[in-house]
Structure formats: C-alpha cells, structure tokens
Amino acid sequence: MFETTGTLFNSATLHVSFLGSNGEFQVNTATDGTVTFETSGLNAGPSTTTPTNFFDFAGESLTTTSKGTGTTGTVVLSNGDTLALTGITGGAGGWVAKTASDGSGGTDVFLAVCFAAGTRILTPLGERAVETLAEGDLVLAGAGDELVACPIKWLGYRRIDLTSHPRPTTVAPICIMRSAISDAIPHNDLCVSPDHGILIDGKLICARQLVNDTTIREVTGLASVQYFHIELDAHNILLAEGLAAESYLDTGNRSFFANVDEPLLLHPDLTDELDYPTRKAGSCVPFVWDEATVRPIWQRLADRAAAIGRPVQKRATTTEPNLRLLATCPEHRSVKPIQTDGGIAVFVLPRGVKEVRLVSRAQSAIEARPWMEDRRKLGVRLKRIVLRGAAELCEIPLDHPDLTTGWWAVERDGGAMRRWTDGDAVLPLPAIDENVALEIHLADEMTYVVETEVPETGRVAA
C-alpha cells in the first residue's frame, strides 16, 4: 500500500505507478482545489468483488460515471478531481470506473469490466453494482407498479472466455443503449446475456430477439465477458439500470455458473430454446418468443431508434433461392432448373447419376427477421421430392434414412412432413436407367438478405 497524508494544492499533479498485480494508493484529497492524479498500471481484470489496483480517497464520499475502452482514459470524480490513466490492463474490451465505500468514511475508486459486470440493480438504498451484491442483500422487485424489498437467495456468476468458445456469438452480450426502450430507459447502456428476459408490454422477451444492430446490438470483439444473475425466493422482475428484467429462474441450467457444486458447462449456448417450455411454466409473467407477439414490439423499438436518430439499417432481400443441383456423372456438373413454377423446381438429371447436391442460398432467418428465434442456417424448405420418368414415378420420402448430410430434422405441418436443407444437401438417388426429371416441391418461401442499403426508416423488408 502507498499512502500520502499531505495536502495537495490546486492544479497539483501526483505521479503514481502501481507495483505488482495488487496495490492500493491512499490520498487525503485537496481541500482548496481540484487535483489531477496521473496513474499507470491500473487493472480492470477478472476480480468480481475485490478490485485490483485502486485508489482509496480517505474521508470523502465520491462518485463517478466515467467509462472507456483500451489502455488509457480519464476518470472525473464528483469533487472535480481527475484520474489520468495509462497502462490499463484487463479492460481492452471496455471498462467502467466504479466506486465503493472503504469502510472508514472514504471511497475506493477502481476499474471493472463494463459488460454485464457493472450493471446497477435497484435496492432499497439505491442502485448498486450487481457484483457488489451478496446473498441476503435486499433488492427491489415486482412486475407491477409496486416494488417490494426481496432478499437475494443466491448470486450466480461466470466469466466466459470468448476467444476459446467455438461459437462466441451464442454467449456474447447484448447491449441495450440508454433510452432504447423509452425515454431514459434504460438510463445507462445495459449489457445482458442473450437469453436474459426483458419485460416489455407485460411480457418477457429474450434480449437477443430485440436486436436491431443500432440501439440494441450484440457486442463483438470482446476477449471475455462476466455474467451475474440474481435468484430470489421466487421468479420476479428487477430493475437493472432502470429497465425491468427478470431474476434468475432455474430451468436446469445452473451448471452454467462457476459457483455451483456441479460440473461446469464448458461451452454454454445462450441462444438455446430447449428450456422454453420450462421458462414459460415457471415465469412470473408471460414468457413469449413467437413471431406474432415479438415482431410488433421489435418494430416499435426499431421505429423509436429511427426517431432518436439511430435508424435501423434497411437491408435488401429476396425470396429467390437460386436453387441448383451439383451432380457427379462422372465429372461435376451444375444443373439449373428447366422450370420453376408454382413452387416446383424441375431438373433434368443426367443418365447414370447416383447422387446430387441440392444447393441454394442459405442463412439464418434472423438475418432478415431479427425478431425470429430460428438461428439455423436454412436453405430451402421442401414438401416433396419426386423422380419422374417416361413410364414411372418414384417419390423419395422426406424422412428417408439416407437424407443426412445437409438436412435438418423432419418437421410437421399438420399431418404433412416438411424438411429444411442447410443450403447444400446431399440427395442420394435410386438406380436410374433413363433420363428422368427431378421435381423439388418447395413448401415455403425463405427471405434472404442479399445486400445492405442506405438507412431510410426504422423498417426492414418483410
């Protein structure tokens, strides 16, 4: 610990360099003017409740809302003092300057990663950073107009290394900008996990379904992210940065967190829908994810984004799948349809071909419809596959066991089977002794994004 008890006068500059991975510098602040402190080596690293390398301002209660990115920055305190920071470690993806009582009437000022960690939760004594809360602490909760003080039953936490995750986009945080939902709600930028339920219009919707890439967006380029979740005696609604968001609901996903007595889920997927029935049954308010309910809410938030000067980018789309075959007979050939009419694409197959690949445009449905929950890479959706020769007709059932590579699982549309390709599906064929026509009967249109256009309004192509 380094300590100075002398008076620092107006415009004075104090040079500080921390030694080692942990340290503290304590000062009695100036009484007759503001002071600039130049520091190096401050660490915004992985500590959850105990900061590493921090200032202890003795005898004075201070606050700050300073944020930054990278290895340098400036923190301005409520008394006018300034911390000029260089050599920041552990916070390249973003950091926030935080304050906490030092237990003796003074204030600790330290840095923390500002994505998910750093979120302020409303308590009976005001807002507190989620990582400073503990079991037994009171928070204010309630889905209606009345908030009730509820004790924290459990606080789960987990730091995820995004650089080693095979699919980092499934766990990357969603940032909801200040005023994205309504005026000053949230009242600061709020970052939550993709599956965190946000209360809008009396319904809980996963944050990822609200993404519009402007006021609500996925945060990219992070090396890691630290999540916290608050469990109460019963599922309820908390206020995080003024925005109504759900408390933790145990749907069998507790192994996501690092502080549980069970094996840790190594590579979690926070876009998985398998627990939706459990979430719906256990939620304190309706939990929804269907397009009919979510799309109007998404659109209203997109229109709001345009109204506050951050329009959603308009993207050009098409329903043309660019469907074709790749055949080997014996050399590779690309075969285009001779007819596309009424949802049926007809191809003439070369004699002797034993297998073709059904190739088309392919992408996730959320590219054109961000409010959707289907994150599979989709090509075309089929309802029939027919081989038609001069004398006979042969139908390949959609649940044929040889339809494996490039095929998603069979779906039911009432009593009828439907099946999606992923844009490059292998289609084995029975022995063919004559030229035959292959008919691909499409069940539905898919909307594909083909390019981006200059923003015009908050609406996107349907």
Side-chain angles (χ1 to χ4, degrees):
M1 181 179 77
F2 298 92
E3 179 177 356
T4 178
T5 56
T7 300
L8 298 173
F9 297 97
N10 188 34
S11 300
T13 298
L14 180 66
H15 299 271
V16 177
S17 180
F18 290 100
L19 301 177
S21 60
N22 294 279
E24 176 183 359
F25 188 83
Q26 185 181 73
V27 296
N28 292 330
T29 54
T31 58
D32 55 354
T34 58
V35 179
T36 296
F37 301 93
E38 293 183 354
T39 75
S40 65
L42 212 60
N43 184 5
S47 176
T48 58
T49 58
T50 303
T52 56
N53 295 355
F54 60 100
F55 274 85
D56 182 357
F57 286 83
E60 187 167 7
S61 178
L62 301 172
T63 59
T64 179
T65 58
S66 300
K67 298 181 180 180
T69 59
T71 59
T72 62
T74 300
V75 173
V76 180
L77 304 176
S78 56
N79 68 347
D81 287 352
T82 298
L83 305 179
L85 309 178
T86 60
I88 299 171
T89 59
W95 50 263
V96 60
K98 304 189 67 61
T99 59
S101 171
D102 66 358
S104 303
T107 304
D108 289 339
V109 181
F110 58 97
L111 300 187
V113 176
C114 66
F115 297 108
T119 299
R120 294 182 298 173
I121 306 297
L122 186 61
T123 78
L125 299 178
E127 292 185 323
R128 287 181 56 185
V130 63
E131 64 268 31
T132 69
L133 297 171
E135 294 176 13
D137 287 349
L138 295 178
V139 294
L140 293 179
D145 295 332
E146 184 178 352
L147 297 176
V148 178
C150 300
I152 295 176
K153 178 181 178 181
W154 178 72
L155 185 73
Y157 57 84
R158 168 78 178 271
R159 178 175 291 276
I160 300 176
D161 182 355
L162 297 176
T163 63
S164 64
H165 196 289
R167 297 176 61 205
T169 189
T170 64
V171 291
I174 304 299
C175 178
I176 304 173
M177 287 184 55
R178 170 183 166 83
S179 297
I181 308 302
S182 60
D183 291 345
I185 296 181
H187 50 236
N188 286 303
D189 290 359
L190 170 66
C191 287
V192 297
S193 62
D195 64 343
H196 205 118
I198 305 301
L199 185 67
I200 302 180
D201 293 351
K203 304 174 183 67
L204 280 175
I205 302 171
C206 286
R208 62 177 179 264
Q209 284 190 266
L210 303 175
V211 167
N212 55 32
D213 290 332
T214 171
T215 57
I216 305 175
R217 59 183 176 82
E218 178 186 303
V219 181
T220 59
L222 298 180
S224 66
V225 60
Q226 187 165 21
Y227 290 124
F228 293 82
H229 220 334
I230 296 171
E231 183 178 31
L232 307 177
D233 287 333
H235 189 241
N236 213 324
I237 303 300
L238 305 170
L239 289 179
E241 302 293 353
L243 178 63
E246 69 175 336
S247 67
Y248 173 67
L249 176 63
D250 189 353
T251 60
N253 61 347
R254 205 176 287 268
S255 61
F256 166 83
F257 298 98
N259 56 324
V260 292
D261 293 329
E262 54 184 273
L264 183 69
L265 182 60
L266 184 59
H267 296 307
D269 181 351
L270 299 183
T271 63
D272 193 344
E273 305 168 41
L274 294 179
D275 67 347
Y276 277 11
T278 306
R279 291 184 71 171
K280 182 177 180 179
S283 180
C284 64
V285 295
F287 173 72
V288 298
W289 64 92
D290 61 292
E291 181 177 12
T293 302
V294 177
R295 180 176 182 177
I297 295 173
W298 183 96
Q299 187 64 65
R300 190 175 78 238
L301 298 181
D303 290 342
R304 174 174 176 78
I308 62 176
R310 300 186 65 89
V312 175
Q313 187 177 47
K314 187 177 181 180
R315 310 183 76 183
T317 63
T318 182
T319 57
E320 169 53 54
N322 192 20
L323 190 61
R324 59 202 184 278
L325 300 181
L326 294 181
T328 303
C329 51
E331 65 247 357
H332 293 284
R333 290 182 57 185
S334 179
V335 181
K336 295 182 178 180
I338 61 170
Q339 176 185 335
T340 55
D341 185 38
I344 303 175
V346 181
F347 301 85
V348 175
L349 294 181
R351 183 185 298 270
V353 65
K354 297 181 180 180
E355 181 180 276
V356 295
R357 286 164 47 202
L358 191 60
V359 179
S360 68
R361 285 190 170 100
Q363 59 189 224
S364 169
I366 67 172
E367 293 294 328
R369 301 172 181 239
W371 53 85
M372 298 284 286
E373 270 292 62
D374 195 339
R375 281 164 164 72
R376 297 174 298 171
K377 182 181 179 182
L378 302 177
V380 289
R381 193 174 191 233
L382 278 59
K383 60 182 178 181
R384 291 183 71 194
I385 305 172
V386 178
L387 287 169
R388 193 181 298 274
E392 61 180 330
L393 179 146
C394 173
E395 183 159 352
I396 301 174
L398 292 178
D399 59 354
H400 195 288
D402 288 343
L403 300 185
T404 55
T405 303
W407 296 90
W408 293 103
V410 172
E411 301 171 351
R412 293 284 176 178
D413 188 354
M417 284 190 293
R418 302 287 186 262
R419 197 161 187 182
W420 282 101
T421 73
D422 68 359
D424 189 358
V426 175
L427 176 59
L429 300 171
I432 301 173
D433 295 326
E434 60 175 329
N435 289 330
V436 297
L438 172 65
E439 298 178 0
I440 301 298
H441 295 242
L442 301 178
D444 301 288
E445 288 185 338
M446 170 74 176
T447 303
Y448 311 91
V449 172
V450 292
E451 63 180 352
T452 57
E453 298 178 343
V454 177
E456 295 179 355
T457 69
R459 296 191 176 274
V460 297

